[in-house]
Amino acid sequence: MSRRRSSDHRTQFNLLARLLHWLMAAGVLAMLFMGVGMMSSLTLRPTLLNLHQSLGLGLLVLVVIRLVNRMISGAPPLPPSVPKVQRLIAGLSHWLLYGLLFAMPIIGWAMRSAGGWPIRLADGVILPPIAPVNPTLYGVLRDAHGLLGWALFALVVAHLSAALMHAWVLRDGVFSAMTVRKA
């Protein structure tokens, strides 16, 4: 359902998909650096944690919008030069990225809930807990959030590497499908 028929001659994602992609790319990179910073600085931890939580929830909203847009609009087909196994890997890696971008904020929210810490947003808005207060559950969720963060980092590096290969080496139009509109 997310791919258009092979007769689809589009060469780019729609404008909303492209805007969300680049906005989320910046957000995800910021989140990864904040996550590392929170673990390495006691002084910056409270400020980074507040930013990390707010941005994480913002990314959750954006990934839902992005998934809906993807389901409705689909994606331009990959060029015929892309081998079948690479098509499969590309599809799986994109859905894994979507899954991690959805799961990470949910797990973070559940982790905070299990630790007994509310998530405070701007203007005193406090999100309801989504998990019971439980130190064991908190530990499991904290480990999961950390491991999935590393998995997200690895997947982002692989995604970026593939994008740059398509842009600079293969020059097959795959990279330009997510960049500025062609004249």
Side-chain angles (χ1 to χ4, degrees):
M1 184 169 167
S2 68
R3 286 248 180 233
R4 297 278 182 173
R5 285 179 253 111
S6 61
S7 62
D8 188 349
H9 297 296
R10 291 180 308 146
T11 59
Q12 285 196 303
F13 285 88
N14 67 26
L15 179 60
L16 179 60
R18 287 180 284 141
L19 291 173
L20 288 171
H21 175 271
W22 294 108
L23 181 62
M24 290 181 70
V28 168
L29 287 176
M31 290 293 283
L32 291 169
F33 282 108
M34 280 186 243
V36 170
M38 286 186 309
M39 297 299 110
S40 60
S41 171
L42 291 176
T43 307
L44 295 175
R45 183 169 167 54
T47 301
L48 291 175
L49 181 60
N50 288 335
L51 287 170
H52 189 81
Q53 289 175 161
S54 297
L55 184 54
L57 291 168
L59 286 171
L60 177 60
V61 170
L62 292 178
V63 77
V64 170
I65 294 169
R66 192 165 171 196
L67 279 167
V68 169
N69 182 57
R70 176 77 183 257
M71 295 299 222
I72 292 169
S73 300
L78 291 169
S81 60
V82 176
K84 190 173 185 174
V85 70
Q86 287 180 11
R87 289 172 186 275
L88 178 65
I89 292 168
L92 290 173
S93 68
H94 280 103
W95 287 111
L96 188 54
L97 273 169
Y98 284 126
L100 286 171
L101 291 172
F102 183 79
M104 289 294 289
I106 298 292
I107 292 170
W109 184 357
M111 175 184 70
R112 297 288 296 167
S113 298
W117 300 294
I119 295 182
R120 297 182 199 287
L121 301 178
D123 298 327
V125 174
I126 299 174
L127 295 180
I130 61 170
V133 175
N134 180 311
T136 303
L137 179 59
Y138 168 79
V140 169
L141 291 170
R142 183 168 188 238
D143 288 347
H145 194 70
L147 288 172
L148 290 177
W150 283 109
L152 180 60
F153 175 73
L155 198 52
V156 165
V157 168
H159 182 75
L160 179 60
S161 299
L164 293 177
M165 182 187 72
H166 283 284
W168 294 341
V169 177
L170 301 175
R171 298 178 186 189
D172 58 6
V174 172
F175 182 79
S176 61
M178 194 51 84
T179 58
V180 295
R181 180 154 305 279
K182 299 172 194 167

